[in-house]
């Protein structure tokens, strides 16, 4: 029996009480285990970050999760931040360095929400810090007062690119997705191919032309993944890519 691939999840550095904790949402861990068939490995975010090779030498894939924090704008040449905008410098340092090293190895990467934005930034793209403040773009944020089931319910449609991975996995050219983000893609990085757009034109998913499996989505396919065949297929494809990587990786 082939062992499940090991997939790393860079964690958030979150204050709880008097101390900071390395945190990852259980919904991502669950989706990796049940839909991707992978063994999740939580990677603590420290400053300075631990050398990426220490982890990547033993991993078969990288899952970049969403988070309550936003990437600090100096990473993409953005305007100064504003009071109340939540940041996580340790997550930035850890995830961005791990991602750069994973891309150099052609390691499979699935990137969700903040993770998609991290991919775009590492590859040279830029972000809208506040999508809702950009003329012509919709408000993609959830209602913070709503129950979580309503926050993660389908919120708007996206147009899937014909001939793309997502269109093939969905068996359709349009699907409805949840929408739980304030930042979004501004200039898409060179080398990323659009996989989905919202009706307001915002890029909602993209994959890399230069790598075997690097896919970013702005919505949250991990949410109740077993209830949604399309989202389950995204994680299954990522797990398959990690298994292929594991078979060819040289860990001697």
């Amino acid at each position: 029996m082939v062992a499940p691939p090991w997939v790393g999840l860079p964690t958030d550095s979150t204050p709880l009480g008097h101390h900071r904790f390395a945190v990852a949402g259980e919904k991502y861990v669950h989706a990796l285990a049940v839909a991707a068939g992978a063994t999740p490995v939580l990677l603590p975010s420290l400053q300075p970050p631990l050398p990426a090779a220490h982890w990547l030498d033993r991993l078969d894939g990288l899952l970049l999760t969403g988070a309550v924090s936003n990437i600090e704008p100096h990473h993409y040449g953005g305007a100064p931040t504003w009071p109340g905008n939540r940041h996580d410098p340790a997550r930035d340092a850890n995830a961005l360095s791990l991602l750069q090293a994973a891309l150099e190895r052609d390691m499979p990467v699935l990137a969700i929400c903040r993770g998609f934005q991290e991919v775009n930034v590492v590859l040279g793209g830029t972000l809208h810090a506040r999508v809702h403040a950009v003329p012509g773009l919709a408000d993609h944020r959830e209602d913070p007062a709503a129950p979580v089931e309503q926050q993660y319910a389908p919120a708007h449609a996206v147009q899937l690119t014909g001939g793309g991975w997502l269109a093939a996995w969905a068996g359709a050219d349009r699907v409805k997705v949840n929408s739980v983000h304030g930042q979004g893609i501004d200039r898409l990085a060179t080398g990323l191919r659009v996989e989905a757009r919202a009706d307001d034109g915002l890029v909602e998913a993209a994959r890399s032309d230069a790598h075997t499996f690097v896919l970013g989505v702005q919505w949250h396919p991990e949410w109740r993944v077993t209830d949604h065949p399309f989202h389950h297929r995204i994680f299954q494809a990522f797990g398959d890519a990690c298994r292929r990587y594991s078979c060819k990786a040289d860990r001697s």
Side-chain angles (χ1 to χ4, degrees), residues 21-32:
F21 286 76
V23 174
E26 188 174 292
K27 58 197 174 98
Y28 301 103
V29 176
H30 178 262
L32 270 180

Side-chain angles (χ1 to χ4, degrees), residues 24 43 63 80 94 116-117 145 150 155 163-164 173 188 219 231-232 241:
L43 308 177
L63 175 66
N94 193 54
F116 178 27
Q117 296 160 16
Q150 183 177 331
D173 59 4
L188 190 67
W219 66 90
H231 291 167
H232 191 281

Side-chain angles (χ1 to χ4, degrees), residues 63-188:
L63 175 66
L64 302 175
T65 69
V68 297
S69 63
N70 290 320
I71 301 170
E72 289 190 299
H74 69 82
H75 288 293
Y76 54 90
T81 191
W82 61 93
N85 188 15
R86 298 179 67 175
H87 293 302
D88 184 348
R91 162 74 185 247
D92 287 350
N94 193 54
L96 298 180
S97 64
L98 277 168
L99 175 57
Q100 183 63 57
L103 294 174
E104 291 169 1
R105 294 165 179 247
D106 198 21
M107 176 179 283
V109 175
L110 177 60
I112 295 171
C113 198
R114 188 197 209 270
F116 178 27
Q117 296 160 16
E118 289 167 346
V119 169
N120 194 54
V121 167
V122 164
L123 292 176
T126 62
L127 304 177
H128 293 302
R130 290 185 273 196
V131 170
H132 59 282
V134 178
L137 294 183
D139 189 342
H140 288 249
R141 298 173 296 176
E142 76 282 11
D143 178 357
V148 67
E149 292 81 6
Q150 183 177 331
Q151 292 180 4
Y152 282 85
H156 64 76
V158 295
Q159 183 71 34
L160 305 180
T161 301
W165 291 357
L166 295 181
W169 298 338
D173 59 4
R174 284 178 69 82
V175 294
K176 289 201 74 174
V177 299
N178 52 47
S179 190
V180 192
H181 64 100
Q183 290 197 148
I185 304 301
D186 178 9
R187 187 184 73 251
L188 190 67

